[in-house]
Amino acid sequence: PMIRKDNGNDEGNNNNDIHLDEKEMASRAGCNFLTHIPELIDWLVLQCPSKRLVIGQYAYLDSAAFVKVSLAMDAVASECLRQRPDSALAYLCSPTDVFAIPPAARDASARQYKEDMNNKEFQNRILQLLSGNHMLQQNIVPGTRATAGNHPKIPI
């Protein structure tokens, strides 16, 4: 294994390669999102300057610690995007992620789901049967609207 000293050149110049054994590599790997934010930003924005930077945010901690690491990831991403506006963000979504969408998008999703279920009814029934009714489930909930002084209730 090797690491490359950053000389600002991503053209493949091997003059700065440093060879490490696996133990040494492991001792240097990783960072602490909560305590190394400035160092992480500095390192990320210097990577492959002639290419588009894609930042993946894949961290999880239980309870309040997740809020902290999420805020840290957002801070890192925001600053990287400020310094390298051509960058992109990548997220790994989970079944527990919830996204607010406009009513028109919700209605279009419901129409498409119904159309797809009707057009391929036989195949869909087979898939539902084989999956124990876990596949092909509609992924939207009925909409709610806030009124003055009244907040929408979200079904849980």
Side-chain angles (χ1 to χ4, degrees):
M2 68 179 172
I3 60 173
R4 179 163 289 145
K5 287 183 191 175
D6 183 15
N7 62 0
N9 178 359
D10 61 348
E11 302 303 318
N13 180 349
N14 291 334
N15 295 335
N16 293 317
D17 290 349
I18 301 171
H19 294 274
L20 303 173
D21 64 32
E22 288 185 23
K23 186 175 180 180
E24 180 66 16
M25 179 75 80
S27 74
R28 295 179 181 213
C31 69
N32 184 327
F33 254 122
L34 302 176
T35 60
H36 296 127
I37 293 173
E39 296 90 345
L40 182 56
I41 293 167
D42 291 345
W43 181 79
L44 282 170
V45 298
L46 291 174
Q47 300 309 302
C48 301
S50 66
K51 297 180 181 174
R52 185 175 191 196
L53 178 66
V54 179
I55 303 166
Q57 301 193 111
Y58 312 116
Y60 180 81
L61 295 170
D62 286 331
S63 195
F66 181 65
V67 175
K68 290 178 183 178
V69 76
S70 293
L71 290 171
M73 287 189 301
D74 286 348
V76 168
S78 295
E79 185 57 23
C80 287
L81 288 170
R82 189 187 70 73
Q83 292 186 38
R84 290 190 52 183
D86 64 326
S87 300
L89 299 178
Y91 294 91
L92 182 61
C93 296
S94 77
T96 61
D97 290 343
V98 177
F99 300 93
I101 59 172
R106 184 194 65 239
D107 295 344
S109 175
R111 278 192 307 276
Q112 187 65 50
Y113 176 81
K114 185 176 181 180
E115 183 181 315
D116 288 348
M117 292 303 286
N118 289 336
N119 288 343
K120 301 173 186 169
E121 187 173 352
F122 179 74
Q123 295 101 323
N124 293 341
R125 287 183 190 261
I126 298 277
L127 284 172
Q128 286 179 324
L129 179 67
L130 292 174
S131 71
N133 218 24
H134 287 89
M135 288 185 70
L136 305 174
Q137 298 299 311
Q138 196 164 9
N139 63 352
I140 58 172
V141 296
T144 59
R145 295 195 188 278
T147 57
N150 193 10
H151 298 285
K153 305 229 180 331
I154 299 172
I156 296 179

